[in-house]
Amino acid sequence: MTAGGTGQPSTGHGEKSEKGGARTALAGLTTRGRSFLAAGIAAAICAYVLGQPDLLRVGLLLAALPLICAAVVYRTRYRVAGSRRLSPARVPAGSEARVHLRMDNVSRLPTGLLMLQDRVPYVLGPRPRFVLDRVEAGGRREVSYRVRSDLRGRYPLGPLQLRLSDPFGMCELTRAFSTYDTLTVIPRVEPLPPVRLSGEAKGYGDGRLRALALAGEDDVIPRGYRYGDDLRRVHWRLTARYGELMVRREEQPQRSRCTVLLDTRGLSYQGAGPDSAFEWAVSGAASVLVHMLERGFSVRLLTDTGNSVPGEGSDGFAGASQESADAAGLMMDTLAVVDHSDGTGLSRAYDVLRGGNEGLLVAFLGDLDEEQAAVAAKMRQRSGGAVAFLLDGDSWAREPNGAPDPMNRQEERLRMLREAGWTALGVPRGAPLSGLWRQADRERAGAMTTSGGEGRS
């Protein structure tokens, strides 16, 4: 069976087992079929004892009918093919996907009543069941149902189960196909306004491509001539030096870079469910990743464990436009299943960041103690610009109308980050990311104006 919005569905067939076939067929007898069989046997015994041949014929007919039905259903069940198609196979949390099922009768005889059931996880809703009437020889039937989940994850669909019944309701047999599909529920992505938060280091302004200069011989990046290269790009001086045709390599675009840091430490978040602080952070990271990719940035996703996704290139950043699209899908799939880590600090992420200049750094952080706030503050040194969204654990843990916690230390952590050069914002319960994104832009612009030493990038 296939998953996906396009393409021809493939067919899954059951494997026929001759051994135990009779036992399987008899086990599928319904209450009606067992009653007919018992009545036929009882009538045959009474006819033998009483010497009534007419009653014996009736008994044999009653006993033979469910056996014949079981044999017919047992043979028919291996001549039905099923397929499944998801549209789409990747959906945001809270959105619906449609599952299309198709049953093909590949035998030369029409089928009886078909009862179709697809296995789905409980979180996607109840198991869908369909009743299909007689399917003619070579015919097909198509049905569909919808699935929806408010929780991220990868959910298996299937295997598909088919219950076949004879016209008299004497026998029902269940056939399960061996294949299944996977529905990926990714985090919600919130559209963000186009603000200018990019940094200076390796992030060139608003994210437009910038070509390498080819001003002189020292700036030229040559390579050997390949069939089909334009002869106007031949570098004759280097050709004379190396003794073979050398051409100027095409201009290499440098793209602005953005790293999205997601704090997944279990101890830094409280609560669970689609409205929890951790789910807000995951959704926020997905929104920023998509937004920056749309603006032309090379982006990567980094977690507190030091894992970087995707692995496009040695530095972990996405490359050209097609690679960016693939990277976006890979990052969304990663965020669909990301869970709390067992880590206690941000040191691993800091070790990754201090290895190079990362351009713009956007961090989604849970509760920080004083030590981890100091580690996060040092991350600013290796980035051209840094924006932090610090989730207020006390606010998210309280009821919406609850009293504030006098021991809230978030303001102290925000002050530490701001003193280190971060544009740091606290995230109260249920705050929209788009509003915080605009606020971060205003605060960064105000800080740059106050310092007087930087122009707005």
Side-chain angles (χ1 to χ4, degrees):
M1 298 186 186
T2 60
T6 60
Q8 294 295 327
S10 61
T11 302
H13 293 277
E15 294 182 0
K16 188 173 181 179
S17 177
E18 296 295 340
K19 184 177 181 180
R23 183 179 301 177
T24 301
L26 292 177
L29 290 176
T30 62
T31 301
R32 178 185 300 177
R34 295 175 187 273
S35 300
F36 267 68
L37 181 60
I41 294 175
I45 293 175
C46 292
Y48 177 76
V49 173
L50 300 176
Q52 297 292 330
D54 293 336
L55 182 59
L56 178 61
R57 286 191 290 270
V58 172
L60 292 177
L61 177 62
L62 292 176
L65 181 60
L67 297 178
I68 294 173
C69 291
V72 171
V73 172
Y74 181 76
R75 288 178 55 84
T76 303
R77 73 188 187 107
Y78 296 107
R79 299 178 181 273
V80 178
S83 64
R84 182 192 299 106
R85 180 170 55 87
L86 302 183
S87 178
R90 181 191 291 128
V91 296
S95 300
E96 291 184 344
R98 183 169 290 275
V99 184
H100 301 268
L101 303 177
R102 192 180 80 181
M103 302 304 300
D104 293 272
N105 181 13
V106 296
S107 67
R108 298 179 180 179
L109 298 175
T111 68
L113 192 67
L114 305 179
M115 285 166 282
L116 195 63
Q117 175 179 283
D118 206 10
R119 288 188 178 182
V120 299
Y122 175 76
V123 70
L124 297 182
R127 289 186 176 181
R129 295 180 174 88
F130 305 92
V131 177
L132 304 181
D133 204 352
R134 177 178 179 273
V135 181
E136 64 278 5
R140 70 177 58 172
R141 296 289 185 272
E142 295 185 4
V143 294
S144 64
Y145 64 93
R146 294 176 295 180
V147 290
R148 179 181 180 274
S149 174
D150 292 326
L151 299 175
R152 300 174 293 108
R154 292 173 61 85
Y155 302 104
L157 299 179
L160 185 65
Q161 291 184 331
L162 183 65
R163 298 183 66 186
L164 299 134
S165 176
D166 65 278
F168 301 102
M170 298 289 180
C171 181
E172 288 183 357
L173 293 180
T174 300
R175 171 194 174 185
F177 293 83
S178 59
T179 55
Y180 64 92
D181 299 315
T182 301
L183 175 69
T184 302
V185 180
I186 62 176
R188 294 185 181 93
V189 175
E190 182 177 350
L192 301 180
V195 300
R196 305 182 68 173
L197 290 171
S198 54
E200 294 294 340
K202 285 197 178 180
Y204 295 92
D206 60 359
R208 290 189 295 264
L209 299 183
R210 177 171 176 174
L212 292 173
L214 296 177
E217 182 178 334
D218 294 338
D219 296 317
V220 174
I221 305 176
R223 62 169 176 81
Y225 175 82
R226 297 173 186 168
Y227 178 77
D229 285 338
D230 190 346
L231 292 178
R232 290 176 295 182
R233 292 196 295 111
V234 173
H235 195 286
W236 297 108
R237 185 178 301 177
L238 292 177
T239 297
R241 177 184 301 178
Y242 292 107
E244 61 177 330
L245 280 177
M246 303 294 292
V247 298
R248 292 183 176 88
R249 195 165 62 178
E250 296 85 350
E251 294 181 344
Q252 301 297 307
Q254 271 190 335
R255 309 180 76 201
S256 300
R257 290 182 169 185
C258 175
T259 297
V260 178
L261 172 62
L262 176 62
D263 181 9
T264 63
R265 295 173 300 140
L267 55 82
S268 63
Y269 297 96
Q270 302 181 42
D275 297 326
S276 64
F278 181 67
E279 291 302 318
W280 191 98
V282 174
S283 178
S287 301
V288 172
L289 288 169
V290 172
H291 177 72
M292 301 310 287
L293 279 172
E294 290 176 347
R295 293 186 62 196
F297 276 69
S298 290
V299 300
R300 74 169 171 181
L301 173 64
L302 182 66
T303 67
D304 58 287
T305 61
N307 294 327
S308 178
V309 180
E312 297 284 348
S314 59
D315 55 4
F317 285 88
S321 57
Q322 181 58 43
E323 294 174 344
S324 295
D326 296 339
L330 180 58
M331 287 186 286
M332 290 298 104
D333 289 344
T334 301
L335 288 175
V337 296
V338 70
D339 203 352
H340 293 296
S341 69
D342 297 329
T344 58
L346 303 173
S347 299
R348 293 182 179 178
Y350 172 69
D351 292 338
V352 174
L353 291 173
R354 71 178 181 178
N357 202 321
E358 302 301 322
L360 176 64
L361 174 61
V362 181
F364 292 86
L365 305 172
D367 287 333
L368 299 176
D369 56 24
E370 186 174 357
E371 178 183 358
Q372 299 310 315
V375 174
K378 292 189 294 183
M379 295 179 183
R380 173 64 179 85
Q381 302 171 2
R382 306 305 301 176
S383 62
V387 181
F389 298 98
L390 184 61
L391 279 79
D392 184 357
D394 295 330
S395 172
W396 284 84
R398 291 194 310 267
E399 294 296 328
N401 298 324
D405 188 346
M407 300 301 291
N408 188 354
R409 298 172 295 177
Q410 187 190 38
E411 288 302 323
E412 176 64 21
R413 306 297 179 245
L414 290 173
R415 182 189 62 81
M416 294 178 61
L417 294 177
R418 288 164 182 163
E419 289 179 351
W422 285 83
T423 301
L425 299 177
V427 181
R429 181 185 180 94
L433 178 60
S434 57
L436 295 172
W437 192 249
R438 289 192 182 94
Q439 182 181 349
D441 179 46
R442 292 193 297 268
E443 292 195 6
R444 176 173 172 80
M448 296 173 74
T449 303
T450 302
S451 64
E454 286 186 284
R456 184 163 160 164
S457 62

